[in-house]
Amino acid sequence: MKKFLLAFGCIGACLMSNAASAVSAGTVANDAGRVAIYTTSAGNSTAGTRGQPGVVNAYIQNQRNTYFMITQPDVDTACREKIFNCLSDYCGDMTVVPGKTSGRCVSYVGNLEIELYNYAMLCLQKDRSILLPQYNTMTKNGSGGMNTAARLCPSYVQQEVMSYLSMANMADQLTRSHSDLCVQRRRELEAAMACHSVALAYGNETTSMLTTMLTDYCGAGVAGGSAEMVTRFANAGNVGANIWGWAEKIVSLDLNSKGANWEAAVDAVLASYTNRMNLACGDDMQLNTVSHPTTTNTTPNLQTAVSVMANVAFPSVQNNTANPNADWSVYMEVTSMSEIYDYATANQVVQAGLTNNALTQNAFLTSSQMDNMQKAYKKGTKVFIIRDSSRCYTVPVTALSQSETSIISQAFANCVSR
């Protein structure tokens, strides 16, 4: 019995010893496993680094892409910025500050649009920098040429050049409209409009009364007025263009003797001040005046005196037939849908608008415009002012009187007339 227990105790001691060895070996194995996880992680070939760099790099890359997609522009915006910088370097900065010299590409001179287009194309060809960084993070050779301004932006040049010219013109208009000369011309025109009404109301009065009234409304003491303005309105339409006119003044002892159509001469004086304001301010103000009668049956005083001495009666001036459309404007403005580059084309457009059927297809005029032109011509319109985006042309279709020619030439002095 004792031998059996001793043998059983030895066997138990051996089993306990193996169990202890197994626990110790397992502990070492687990420690070795943890070290392996720390030293060799997924996606990383470098041993001895803690964490998971592959996952971290993917996260950083995603954050970078998200940043670029949110903060970086699209192709259209990026190209417009590139082209605008090219044009600004060539033309100089635009300014709306009064008294400051604006860029040299503000006013339309000759082939400026073609000049800017060519320069912008040459400027882009040298730009090989990456246009869109958000599409270059995953490309090793992104700077090669596909993702550059030279490759993506030439198709935007034409539209951006037109946009730049439009902005430059607006800046020029703002500068001119706020300039000291423009303010002075506006005040001058206000005084001239006041004197225009006075000259028409008191035109047949004596020289002393007319000059006094004009001095009160547009004399040297009035803002914008001057003694020169008073003289111009006082003498507008006076008889005296030839020796007979001066002789008539001497006979009648009236130095303010007005000739036929003197109201049109007064309108012409006001038109000259309107044109001065347009040139100074860059505006396009048009002068619309009331139609004045153009006939008279009064016999000049000199002819009356001669007929009394010679006992011969001069024939009286016959009245013209009443015109039901006497108040219709002598000119009509038409805006073309396409660009007109010379006077010959403008003349053809006007002739086509007057002779073709209103429903005829026309690249320059709409059916409504042609119909209105034909109606205006029947009612007495003699001149058509045709405009495009930057030019205007004066195209007469009927012979004009001297006064009508004077008014049209002064009111539309900036238009090509032949």
Side-chain angles (χ1 to χ4, degrees):
M1 186 65 182
K2 290 181 179 180
K3 293 180 179 181
F4 176 77
L5 293 175
L6 179 60
F8 183 77
C10 291
I11 293 172
C14 291
L15 292 177
M16 292 297 292
S17 174
N18 292 334
S21 299
V23 172
S24 177
T27 303
V28 173
N30 288 340
D31 291 341
R34 293 192 197 98
V35 172
I37 291 176
Y38 291 141
T39 57
T40 305
S41 54
N44 182 28
S45 59
T46 303
T49 304
R50 294 179 61 85
Q52 299 182 4
V55 177
V56 173
N57 290 337
Y59 175 78
I60 295 175
Q61 184 75 19
N62 181 68
Q63 291 293 100
R64 184 182 296 112
N65 292 342
T66 303
Y67 168 80
F68 282 131
M69 291 297 293
I70 293 176
T71 60
Q72 296 297 317
D74 56 347
V75 177
D76 181 86
T77 306
C79 284
R80 291 183 184 279
E81 183 178 356
K82 292 280 187 181
I83 299 170
F84 183 84
N85 291 336
C86 288
L87 297 178
S88 297
D89 293 340
Y90 182 73
C91 295
D93 295 332
M94 291 181 293
T95 179
V96 293
V97 179
K100 299 294 183 180
T101 304
S102 56
R104 62 188 180 96
C105 299
V106 171
S107 58
Y108 187 90
V109 180
N111 296 326
L112 178 60
E113 179 183 343
I114 299 176
E115 179 183 344
L116 294 182
Y117 178 83
N118 293 336
Y119 179 81
M121 291 292 292
L122 293 174
C123 179
L124 290 178
Q125 291 304 313
K126 298 184 297 183
D127 192 344
R128 297 288 175 173
S129 60
I130 297 171
L131 181 67
L132 303 174
Q134 66 268 32
Y135 295 116
N136 194 58
T137 55
M138 302 294 291
T139 306
K140 294 182 179 180
N141 298 323
S143 60
M146 293 299 293
N147 190 6
T148 61
R151 174 65 177 81
L152 299 176
C153 296
S155 59
Y156 295 92
V157 170
Q158 181 65 34
Q159 188 174 0
E160 186 62 18
V161 166
M162 299 304 296
S163 176
Y164 182 86
L165 287 175
S166 177
M167 289 188 292
N169 288 331
M170 287 189 292
D172 181 58
Q173 291 176 2
L174 285 174
T175 302
R176 295 173 65 180
S177 64
H178 289 80
S179 65
D180 296 337
L181 180 60
C182 177
V183 174
Q184 178 184 350
R185 290 289 185 261
R186 289 186 189 279
R187 292 177 179 174
E188 185 180 65
L189 179 60
E190 292 177 0
M193 293 178 70
C195 269
H196 176 262
S197 302
V198 172
L200 291 178
Y202 296 90
N204 289 319
E205 300 294 338
T206 62
T207 303
S208 176
M209 181 176 182
L210 178 60
T211 303
T212 300
M213 295 298 296
L214 291 174
T215 303
D216 291 340
Y217 281 86
C218 61
V222 181
S226 63
E228 177 190 0
M229 185 181 295
V230 172
T231 302
R232 293 186 64 185
F233 277 105
N235 294 332
N238 280 358
V239 174
N242 50 48
I243 186 62
W244 294 105
W246 288 109
E248 181 182 347
K249 286 187 175 185
I250 295 174
V251 171
S252 63
L253 298 179
D254 183 9
L255 298 180
N256 192 37
S257 177
K258 299 293 184 181
N261 303 331
W262 66 271
E263 294 94 341
V266 176
D267 293 343
V269 175
L270 179 60
S272 67
Y273 285 104
T274 304
N275 191 44
R276 282 160 60 96
M277 189 276 295
N278 286 337
L279 292 175
C281 302
D283 293 342
D284 191 24
M285 175 181 261
Q286 304 297 325
L287 177 63
N288 295 323
T289 59
V290 179
S291 177
H292 305 296
T294 58
T295 61
T296 176
N297 57 357
T298 58
T299 304
N301 294 323
L302 180 62
Q303 293 183 3
T304 303
V306 173
S307 65
V308 170
M309 292 186 294
N311 197 21
V312 176
F314 283 83
S316 61
V317 180
Q318 299 296 326
N319 291 330
N320 293 338
T321 304
N323 182 6
N325 300 313
D327 294 337
W328 192 261
S329 176
V330 72
Y331 67 88
M332 178 180 179
E333 295 190 53
V334 182
T335 302
S336 172
M337 296 186 297
S338 303
E339 298 295 323
I340 301 176
Y341 296 101
D342 51 49
Y343 184 82
T345 304
N347 190 16
Q348 292 179 359
V349 171
V350 172
Q351 297 300 330
L354 294 178
T355 57
N356 292 342
N357 187 289
L359 299 179
T360 304
Q361 186 175 4
N362 193 316
F364 298 91
L365 303 173
T366 64
S367 298
S368 176
Q369 287 176 318
M370 290 191 287
D371 185 61
N372 292 336
M373 289 173 62
Q374 294 171 10
K375 289 180 180 178
Y377 178 73
K378 293 177 182 178
K379 291 185 178 182
T381 296
K382 298 182 179 181
V383 180
F384 288 92
I385 312 298
I386 185 165
R387 300 177 180 274
D388 60 8
S389 63
S390 59
R391 293 163 288 268
C392 67
Y393 302 91
T394 304
V395 182
V397 294
T398 307
L400 300 175
S401 64
Q402 184 177 1
S403 60
E404 291 170 342
T405 302
S406 176
I407 293 176
I408 294 297
S409 62
Q410 295 185 60
F412 300 98
N414 58 331
C415 295
V416 179
S417 57
R418 65 179 182 277

